[in-house]
Amino acid sequence: MKIATVMGSPKRHGKTAAALEFLEKKLMSQGHEIDRINVTDYHINGCLGCYACMQNKYASGCIQKDDTEQVFMRIISADAVIYASPLYSFDLTAQLKPLVDRSFSLTNTPLLDGKRVALLITCAGQEEGNADLVQEFFRRSFDGENKGMFHTKLVGEFIIPFSDASDFSDRARKTADDLARAILNDL
């Protein structure tokens, strides 16, 4: 299975990167191919809201000429996608949010249909009353079985709270194991 991991943190070696590395190593040890996409390596503009993309039923159709199409091609070629982000102001990072917004251009196509998707969030505080908004946003976007905007199969939202605590690595490894099981379930 080919799995794209989309890292939305501006910190290449932060807590989110560490948690994602645990997951990637776990999946690679089971023979799966990982394609790490660091969104900070790309120039991705925000969505213009022009709806020009809705004219194309078989490609993104976005009129902007930046690096988004390159990232889309990597996501489309994967069997599953894991979006990873630290929690900033109850949401994805400013680096990752434009990619998700621009993904709207794929809602009119079959390119993401049935693709397994998961969310991995790290946050300094507790999960309750902190990560609930990003989880709801993600469900409304990616849970195709419950009328999500994309026709993807959301396999779960995985939150690692208290990222500054001394036991973070242990909890991140456990979460990586849980996420790996969820993304591979029923294969």
Side-chain angles (χ1 to χ4, degrees):
M1 174 180 240
K2 182 176 180 182
I3 302 164
T5 59
V6 182
M7 220 284 265
S9 177
K11 297 179 183 176
R12 280 197 173 289
H13 303 289
K15 298 293 184 165
T16 304
L20 196 55
E21 285 170 19
F22 290 139
L23 174 64
E24 291 166 338
K25 286 178 183 176
K26 174 81 172 178
L27 292 167
M28 285 189 294
S29 75
Q30 296 175 352
H32 301 284
E33 180 184 347
I34 301 298
D35 180 13
R36 163 74 77 91
I37 301 166
N38 291 311
V39 295
T40 57
D41 292 345
Y42 296 91
H43 177 78
I44 300 172
N45 295 325
C47 179
L48 298 174
C50 67
Y51 294 96
C53 59
M54 293 293 111
Q55 304 308 309
N56 195 329
K57 301 253 188 235
Y58 302 101
S60 73
C62 184
I63 62 171
Q64 296 190 67
K65 304 299 178 212
D66 59 9
D67 296 333
T68 304
E69 192 66 30
Q70 284 178 270
V71 175
F72 282 168
M73 297 314 294
R74 291 172 71 183
I75 288 171
I76 291 165
S77 73
D79 300 303
V81 183
I82 299 164
Y83 292 88
S85 177
L87 188 68
Y88 289 179
S89 299
F90 308 107
D91 202 355
L92 303 172
T93 61
Q95 291 78 11
L96 182 54
K97 186 69 167 66
L99 177 65
V100 175
D101 288 350
R102 292 279 296 282
S103 295
F104 176 76
S105 67
L106 299 172
T107 61
N108 201 36
T109 74
L111 297 172
L112 297 180
D113 288 4
K115 195 172 299 288
R116 293 169 176 267
V117 176
L119 175 67
L120 175 63
I121 293 289
T122 58
C123 57
Q126 64 186 21
E127 180 177 345
E128 186 178 309
N130 193 20
D132 53 333
L133 294 177
V134 73
Q135 289 174 293
E136 181 63 24
F137 157 75
F138 209 76
R139 278 190 294 272
R140 287 186 186 194
S141 298
F142 291 98
D143 191 356
E145 294 179 1
N146 290 304
K147 299 182 183 175
M149 182 170 57
F150 303 106
H151 304 281
T152 52
K153 178 176 175 44
L154 179 61
V155 300
E157 306 104 23
F158 298 84
I159 314 300
I160 308 170
F162 305 111
S163 57
D164 293 335
S166 61
D167 67 340
F168 172 81
S169 290
D170 293 334
R171 290 182 294 110
R173 279 188 185 89
K174 182 189 178 319
T175 300
D177 289 346
D178 293 345
L179 201 163
R181 272 192 299 280
I183 206 84
L184 300 172
N185 190 29
D186 297 330
L187 289 182

